[in-house]
Amino acid sequence: MIPSPVLVVTAVPAEADALRPLLDPALVVVEAVGVGPAAAAAGTARLLARRDHRAVISVGIAGGFPGRADVGGTVLTTRTIAADLGAESPDGFLPIEELGFGGSVLEADPVLIAALRAALPQAVAGDVLTLSTVTGTAETTARLAARFPRAVAEAMEGYGVAIAAAGAAVPFAELRTISNPIGPRDRGAWRLADAFAALRAAAPALQRLP
């Protein structure tokens, strides 16, 4: 009996198009669901409702924390964190846990992460932050790095994908390749070609997941 496929969710079509030609659609289904946690959650939930999948992987390009993840490298999430889900206060940011309204942290499936780490030994594992607003200043970079000492990257969809996966009781993981260091916004310094090359190089690992 053929197992149900892995669902790979990307934000934009360019990420999905980079992966599809390298993957057997009977084993891995790749879909772009939109940018941001809300679009990611809604799109992933819709796809999971239509068909059984044995795992969900959030995949795409991300910014890397300097000194923790190199541009052109690959990162794997151990935890996905909604880093801006909470409230401001005179004493600083209050995560949603301190407000008593739920949680901002979801663990990646350890079996999936172990398989990805075995297939991608050069990948860096750590927390991946989900933000609705991409970091663009040195001040915000320093604040996030201090709040999340295990964070290796930030993106905009992982937590949304993870919420949908949790709701459907499907194992979740996140894989990102790094196009730029997190910090002051400088599109001219982004190395998208390197990030897409790393994304394509990681594709075979997605096809060998348990």
Side-chain angles (χ1 to χ4, degrees), residues 165-186:
V170 176
F172 162 84
E174 185 171 4
L175 182 154
R176 296 282 174 175
T177 59
I178 306 303
S179 62
N180 58 281
I182 297 168
R185 189 168 175 80
D186 178 10

Side-chain angles (χ1 to χ4, degrees), residues 63-70 127 129 141 144-145 148 151-154 180-182:
F65 279 94
R68 302 180 187 176
D70 295 333
D127 296 338
L129 308 184
T141 302
L144 288 173
F148 303 104
V152 292
E154 71 168 31
N180 58 281
I182 297 168

Side-chain angles (χ1 to χ4, degrees), residues 191-204:
R191 287 163 44 189
L192 287 170
D194 291 346
F196 273 102
L199 201 63
R200 289 189 290 270

Side-chain angles (χ1 to χ4, degrees), residues 92-169:
F93 183 81
L94 299 175
I96 197 166
E97 288 86 349
E98 293 187 26
L99 302 176
F101 297 144
S104 61
V105 180
L106 291 171
E107 300 277 346
D109 182 79
V111 174
L112 291 177
I113 293 301
L116 288 169
R117 294 187 76 169
L120 300 166
Q122 303 305 314
V124 175
D127 296 338
V128 177
L129 308 184
T130 297
L131 294 160
S132 296
T133 300
V134 173
T135 300
T137 67
E139 292 78 10
T140 300
T141 302
R143 186 166 62 250
L144 288 173
R147 280 180 59 205
F148 303 104
R150 293 166 51 191
V152 292
E154 71 168 31
M156 303 180 76
E157 293 79 32
Y159 186 81
V161 176
I163 283 287

